[in-house]
Amino acid sequence: MSFEFKCKTCGETHRGMPGFGAEKPLSYYEIPEAEREARCDCGSDECVIDGQWFFVRGCIEIPVHGEEDPFVWGAWVSLSKEASSNGVNVSAQ
């Protein structure tokens, strides 16, 4: 079985298992749009809000019977400031 879908982002048809996830954590979208640039510092996999709320994005891979590739679900999790700092230090090495 080959899974096929039309991508909402690029408009092209892709073969294989898709992945889903949000570009930013939910807390980001709860901030008024006019305030986001001043209050949020976000990359593709990390987001800091008001200098006190720390989030990282990870991927949960779920095997699908009959498919080579797993279904991938992107999930944002909140971290303490200390845990966020430790992650940055590790990835910078």
Side-chain angles (χ1 to χ4, degrees):
M1 175 188 290
S2 180
F3 193 85
E4 188 175 284
F5 65 98
K6 184 173 182 177
C7 180
K8 184 178 175 183
T9 302
C10 71
E12 293 187 23
T13 299
H14 298 281
R15 286 192 168 81
M17 193 56 55
F20 293 97
E23 288 186 30
K24 304 282 188 278
L26 180 61
S27 298
Y28 173 87
Y29 297 105
E30 293 174 338
I31 295 171
E33 194 171 340
E35 298 176 21
R36 290 179 189 162
E37 186 174 338
R39 296 177 57 190
C40 304
D41 182 16
C42 299
S44 61
D45 295 319
E46 70 285 326
C47 187
V48 179
I49 299 175
D50 294 332
Q52 65 181 3
W53 305 104
F54 302 86
F55 301 89
V56 293
R57 186 174 69 92
C59 295
I60 302 167
E61 295 186 354
I62 303 168
V64 177
H65 182 71
E67 294 291 330
E68 280 187 39
D69 298 326
F71 173 81
V72 179
W73 190 267
W76 285 92
V77 296
S78 61
L79 300 174
S80 67
K81 183 175 183 175
E82 295 79 18
S84 177
S85 296
N86 289 340
V88 170
N89 290 339
V90 170
S91 65
Q93 294 178 353

